[in-house]
Amino acid sequence: MKKELISLFLLILVTLSGCGSRETGGEPLPAIQSQQSLYVPEFLSLEGENIDYDGMRITTDTLCYLSYAWSEEIQYYELLINTFSLQDRTTGSFPLVWPEGPRNQAMTEYTFGEDGSLYAIAQTFPTEEVEPGFLLCKFHPDGELIFSQDVTEQLLANPETGVRINAMETDSRGRIYIAGDSVVWLYDEQGEYKGILSPEETASGTSASEQDSSAGLLISGLYRDGKDKMYLSYGEAGYGGPGDTLAEIDFDGKGLTEVCRDFPTVNTFSPHPDQSFLMQDRTSVYAYDPAAPEQAEALFSWMDCDISGQSVLGFGQTAEGRIAAVLKTQDRSGELALLTKVSPEEAVQKETLVLGVLTGAYNYEPAVVRFNRSNEKYRIVLKEYYNYENHENFTLEDALARLYADLVSDHCPDLLEVTGLNLTQLAAQDVFQDLSPYLEQSSVFGPEDFVSEILDTYTFDGTLVTIPYAVFLETVMGNAGQIDPEAAWTPENVIALADANPDAELFDGADRNDIMNFLMEYGENAFVNWNTGECSFDSEQFKSLLEFVKRFPETMEYDPDRPSTPSRIQSGEVLLKTVELYNFDTIQIDLETFGSDAVCIGYPTAEGGRHAMTAIFSYAITSGSKNKDGAWTFIESMLSEEGGSNGIGFPSVKQRLENCLEDAVAVKYMLDEKGEIYLDENGEPVVIGNTSSVQYGDGWSYTYHTATREEAELILSLLSNACPSFTFIDSGNEIRSIISEEAAAFYAGQKTVEETAKVIQSRAQLYVDENR
């Protein structure tokens, strides 16, 4: 019953002239932007269809890439070499002339040489004339075949393990390096086999020819630097440390010389002209020498150039000194960015606004990039308070404290992404600007354009704090035969339900901490008033909750043979279940579990059951902002985007929500080549989608169907009685941490309930006094 919606949100999202940058609220990072120069971007669209953006290669002055297209002449798809000149912007496209014809082989790995030649491994399909195997091919930039060598004998030295190629590279002489799991095959300029080498041989003295793919050291990459040296990286199988070992390859001697350890293979590299490498870590670009990694020089950050580092597929430096980067766009196509180094005086100046996010800043980079590219007056700088990759001794709790401190200081950000934050607590401190006047005066939206229940949920004492792009919902489902849906769902009624069903678990596998979190998730306000600062954890009501929670086990042992949760609910062994809703299909399996008596009762509070609403892509203007009009321009821009939440969640704009509902309940059928509905063997129309299944180990299963209007309307009915979710992390809720720490002695029989409640009251009151 742990809350998973925030985690789900962070996992799903991977993708949504002034320059935006990114700061951190934790330990300071090295300065990225030089005061003497900036990199100004120029963005170019890449024409064509069916392009392999991941395999693009930037040479000194040309972008090389592959695509495929249908050929009327041969009535088959053919591969094309494409070139784009980075100097005169001319393009070229040439079909590959395969040695066995385009139908008889498939490319499994390829790379481009510095002159634009294509080197490829092709797997051949068996015909009457050709045995199955592998070919090493080299093609001229115009697509003509230069050579083709059968390399089956080398690559398939051990047929039982098959062939797995991890990387392929060439040096300036045209020599070819092909990396498998544990060995590198070496070929000369004509594709002639010259032997193999392996890190295992270097480490143990075992001959590479005696090894197989189960070797302990696995190769993770091949790299050519700006001095035309070749390297490979490797590490132990299953190794989870910070990086691998990097070794320089001696082609003629078939040996390796270790250069450094902890080589950051998670980053991407390209040759640095006349030096070693350019390296990018999804945030910044560096000049990197593996022999002196501690001296890496930060050149610029991607966000300084209106580029999200997460979108960079490949990059390199041109002969003219510009940086060229291949980017994946939101519609899964691509574009090319050319970055030119200029002085600060040559860059366009804009008014800067700071957008604060607690963590996961990369989720918001695409939105910031789109705004910065399109707005001529303002630019957004991201300030992340906690970065999972650079936190060291700086904890998430430290970051949360620093964020709260900034909101009431001169370091206050102009905007704050509020997903998961305790808005009840923050709104009581008057740290937010009321968005209602901006919405009423907007030429783009009016209050009537939004779902009123969502606006009401994020209005505190008359202040509209934020307008989410979309929301998730979470509720608790039970059985109407055991719970009166007309009665107020209070903690007292939760206790009564447990008393009436002594042999059943309240939630499947719930321990004490789970039950206390369930009771306090949205019931905390019964004991804390953030407006007045009063606490009442020494009340009889709270003491009764401590007594109730004590009944539950301290921990629950996992039993792999225990029936599934749906089975246990249907047998009466479990009474309640949390239900997470992020589209109109997600309620189906829980309705099936509880049957016709299913009721969404919500979380207990003193006033009755409430459903949880989690805002996603939700921004607030801070009271301390020095440019509130500019901040509203950003919010208005974000709310105007179509598809801004990647189709996940329930949109706050009425029309978008209605469109989502109609699309969800529309039954879609498979069509044949004539555009008519396709019928199965029984003459029934074949429905598209919504047919995925869930199968549990005990045999309980469910197959999804197209959402019904009744299911959709049930979900939307929860909006009218929802409250904002603020549990970004349980450890971020200090009051619940206090309860957990102090109640442990009571559960263990070391303190009375009165003593425990008194200590909790004292600590909680002190915390509230310090944080109002």
Side-chain angles (χ1 to χ4, degrees):
M1 57 170 289
K2 303 288 188 184
K3 286 184 67 64
E4 302 292 346
L5 282 180
I6 298 292
S7 298
L8 172 67
F9 165 55
L10 293 177
L11 287 172
I12 289 177
L13 294 175
V14 173
T15 62
L16 288 175
S17 129
C19 299
S21 62
R22 178 165 158 190
E23 302 175 358
T24 176
E27 296 301 320
L29 296 176
I32 297 298
Q33 189 59 69
S34 166
Q35 294 183 356
Q36 282 72 45
S37 62
L38 300 167
Y39 284 81
V40 174
E42 176 188 4
F43 298 99
L44 305 172
S45 297
L46 297 174
E47 301 297 330
E49 298 180 354
N50 306 316
I51 295 172
D52 182 9
Y53 294 100
D54 292 301
M56 287 184 168
R57 185 70 173 261
I58 298 165
T59 63
T60 53
D61 60 3
T62 304
L63 174 69
C64 304
Y65 58 96
L66 291 182
S67 66
Y68 67 89
W70 178 259
S71 171
E72 290 293 340
E73 180 181 352
I74 64 174
Q75 288 294 295
Y76 198 72
Y77 286 99
E78 60 183 1
L79 275 171
L80 306 169
I81 290 182
N82 301 273
T83 59
F84 177 83
S85 172
L86 301 178
Q87 292 183 335
D88 58 23
R89 313 295 172 85
T90 57
T91 61
S93 185
F94 310 93
L96 293 186
V97 181
W98 284 102
E100 305 295 338
R103 296 175 183 269
N104 297 324
Q105 59 269 298
M107 189 178 297
T108 60
E109 187 71 27
Y110 72 89
T111 188
F112 287 98
E114 272 301 296
D115 63 352
S117 298
L118 175 69
Y119 298 80
I121 296 291
Q123 183 173 4
T124 59
F125 303 129
T127 66
E128 293 181 359
E129 296 82 17
V130 179
E131 292 292 326
F134 294 90
L135 299 176
L136 172 59
C137 305
K138 179 180 179 180
F139 298 89
H140 190 272
D142 65 8
E144 292 296 322
L145 180 67
I146 297 175
F147 66 69
S148 173
Q149 298 282 6
D150 189 328
V151 294
T152 308
E153 182 179 352
Q154 295 99 50
L155 300 189
L156 267 180
N158 187 346
E160 294 182 1
T161 61
V163 176
R164 185 159 59 187
I165 299 174
N166 293 333
M168 186 176 182
E169 259 299 352
T170 66
D171 59 23
S172 62
R173 291 172 53 180
R175 298 182 299 188
I176 306 161
Y177 306 72
I178 302 170
D181 277 344
S182 57
V183 299
V184 176
W185 295 277
L186 304 173
Y187 297 86
D188 68 12
E189 299 89 327
Q190 303 304 316
E192 297 291 340
Y193 178 60
K194 294 300 178 181
I196 57 177
L197 58 82
S198 90
E200 191 76 15
E201 179 179 358
T202 302
S204 65
T206 304
S207 170
S209 61
E210 300 173 1
Q211 298 170 32
D212 58 32
S213 62
S214 63
L217 296 179
L218 299 182
I219 296 170
S220 52
L222 289 172
Y223 314 87
R224 178 176 59 84
D225 75 358
K227 302 175 183 178
D228 201 35
K229 294 181 180 180
M230 291 295 301
Y231 302 85
L232 66 80
S233 59
Y234 60 89
E236 295 181 8
Y239 177 61
D244 287 352
T245 297
L246 186 74
E248 183 179 345
I249 297 175
D250 176 3
F251 185 98
D252 296 320
K254 301 177 184 56
L256 297 170
T257 302
E258 182 179 309
V259 176
C260 70
R261 299 189 177 185
D262 293 336
F263 180 70
T265 54
V266 295
N267 298 337
T268 53
F269 298 82
S270 68
H272 190 305
D274 303 321
Q275 297 185 42
S276 292
F277 293 107
L278 289 172
M279 176 184 74
Q280 75 102 357
D281 61 0
R282 303 183 306 283
T283 63
S284 305
V285 173
Y286 306 82
Y288 179 87
D289 182 351
E294 70 283 352
Q295 298 177 15
E297 177 191 0
L299 302 180
F300 61 87
S301 80
W302 289 117
M303 289 295 286
D304 281 335
C305 303
D306 292 343
I307 295 171
S308 171
Q310 305 295 319
S311 70
V312 177
L313 299 176
F315 73 109
Q317 185 164 320
T318 71
E320 298 175 340
R322 292 182 296 178
I323 301 294
V326 177
L327 313 177
K328 181 182 292 184
T329 58
Q330 191 175 21
D331 62 0
R332 298 187 178 183
S333 60
E335 66 177 347
L336 180 66
L338 290 177
L339 312 182
T340 303
K341 196 174 185 179
V342 301
S343 65
E345 293 75 19
E346 297 177 85
V348 176
Q349 301 301 315
K350 297 183 181 181
E351 297 180 49
T352 299
L353 293 89
V354 176
L355 167 58
V357 299
L358 179 58
T359 191
Y362 59 87
N363 288 310
Y364 309 101
E365 286 182 357
V368 170
V369 164
R370 289 192 295 271
F371 179 82
N372 286 346
R373 289 197 198 181
S374 63
N375 193 278
E376 298 180 354
K377 185 175 181 180
Y378 304 109
R379 68 183 179 93
I380 301 295
V381 172
L382 272 169
K383 181 175 184 178
E384 183 179 53
Y385 284 82
Y386 182 82
N387 184 290
Y388 282 98
E389 297 179 357
N390 297 302
H391 64 285
E392 297 182 356
N393 297 322
F394 188 76
T395 69
L396 191 52
E397 289 78 7
D398 293 334
L400 196 61
R402 183 171 295 182
L403 167 60
Y404 286 178
D406 277 2
L407 290 174
V408 292
S409 74
D410 292 337
H411 303 292
C412 182
D414 299 280
L415 291 140
L416 182 65
E417 209 292 322
V418 300
T419 300
L421 297 179
N422 191 333
L423 295 183
T424 304
Q425 175 184 346
L426 291 173
Q429 300 180 50
D430 296 324
V431 298
F432 297 123
Q433 188 74 12
D434 186 8
L435 298 186
S436 296
Y438 295 93
L439 185 58
E440 291 166 357
Q441 298 169 19
S442 171
S443 61
V444 179
F445 293 111
E448 68 281 357
D449 294 314
F450 292 89
V451 178
S452 60
E453 292 90 344
I454 295 178
L455 296 186
D456 291 343
T457 299
Y458 292 99
T459 299
F460 300 83
D461 292 329
T463 296
L464 177 59
V465 167
T466 186
I467 306 173
Y469 188 92
V471 297
F472 293 153
L473 291 169
E474 184 174 354
T475 187
V476 175
M477 191 175 284
N479 191 310
Q482 299 166 325
I483 303 169
D484 182 1
E486 301 300 322
W489 182 234
T490 64
E492 290 74 20
N493 281 337
V494 173
I495 296 173
L497 174 65
D499 289 342
N501 298 273
D503 297 327
E505 295 181 32
L506 204 58
F507 290 90
D508 194 2
D511 57 26
R512 286 174 185 159
N513 189 56
D514 295 326
I515 298 300
M516 181 58 80
N517 281 335
F518 167 64
L519 295 169
M520 297 299 293
E521 194 89 47
Y522 302 100
E524 181 183 293
N525 289 344
F527 308 102
V528 179
N529 186 322
W530 283 101
N531 290 315
T532 65
E534 296 176 304
C535 295
S536 56
F537 288 99
D538 53 357
S539 64
E540 293 302 318
Q541 182 185 9
F542 184 73
K543 292 175 189 177
S544 69
L545 296 188
L546 289 172
E547 296 279 10
F548 175 63
V549 172
K550 187 178 180 180
R551 301 184 197 176
F552 294 84
E554 181 178 359
T555 58
M556 290 290 289
E557 295 294 330
Y558 172 69
D559 180 3
D561 298 323
R562 187 171 64 182
S564 64
T565 298
S567 294
R568 300 193 73 213
I569 289 172
Q570 292 178 343
S571 67
E573 297 175 68
V574 174
L575 302 175
L576 304 172
K577 183 181 182 296
T578 55
V579 177
E580 297 153 358
L581 305 168
Y582 49 89
N583 63 38
F584 287 110
D585 295 331
T586 42
I587 201 170
Q588 290 183 29
I589 191 170
D590 297 297
L591 290 175
E592 175 72 14
T593 298
F594 284 94
S596 59
D597 287 331
V599 57
C600 295
I601 197 67
Y603 286 86
T605 74
E607 295 78 27
R610 303 292 298 276
H611 314 290
M613 183 184 292
T614 299
I616 57 175
F617 295 113
S618 191
Y619 307 96
I621 301 175
T622 62
S623 299
S625 170
K626 298 178 178 61
N627 196 332
K628 296 180 177 63
D629 289 340
W632 170 254
T633 300
F634 174 76
I635 293 177
E636 190 176 62
S637 172
M638 295 305 101
L639 292 172
S640 300
E641 291 186 0
E642 295 290 340
S645 63
N646 295 324
I648 301 298
F650 305 101
S652 62
V653 174
K654 280 183 184 179
Q655 189 58 57
R656 289 185 195 140
L657 183 60
E658 291 172 5
N659 294 343
C660 286
L661 189 155
E662 295 302 324
D663 182 66
V665 302
V667 180
K668 305 174 184 68
Y669 298 103
M670 183 181 295
L671 303 179
D672 61 19
E673 63 276 4
K674 298 179 182 180
E676 298 177 354
I677 295 177
Y678 183 82
L679 304 179
D680 63 17
E681 63 274 11
N682 298 318
E684 297 294 330
V686 178
V687 177
I688 298 176
N690 296 308
T691 57
S692 60
S693 298
V694 176
Q695 178 78 44
Y696 290 90
D698 64 350
W700 198 94
S701 65
Y702 181 75
T703 299
Y704 285 87
H705 56 256
T706 300
T708 67
R709 191 166 297 274
E710 291 75 18
E711 291 166 349
E713 290 176 352
L714 173 59
I715 292 173
L716 296 182
S717 71
L718 306 182
L719 293 171
S720 62
N721 193 29
C723 57
S725 168
F726 56 83
T727 51
F728 192 96
I729 48 164
D730 286 344
S731 58
N733 188 315
E734 183 64 26
I735 289 180
R736 259 185 280 169
S737 296
I738 291 171
I739 293 171
S740 178
E741 292 169 8
E742 299 301 336
F746 167 64
Y747 299 149
Q750 298 169 355
K751 285 185 179 181
T752 66
V753 69
E754 288 80 10
E755 292 171 332
T756 303
K758 184 177 180 180
V759 175
I760 292 173
Q761 167 68 10
S762 176
R763 288 188 60 188
Q765 186 66 67
L766 179 62
Y767 173 76
V768 171
D769 290 343
E770 292 176 345
N771 289 274
R772 284 189 64 225

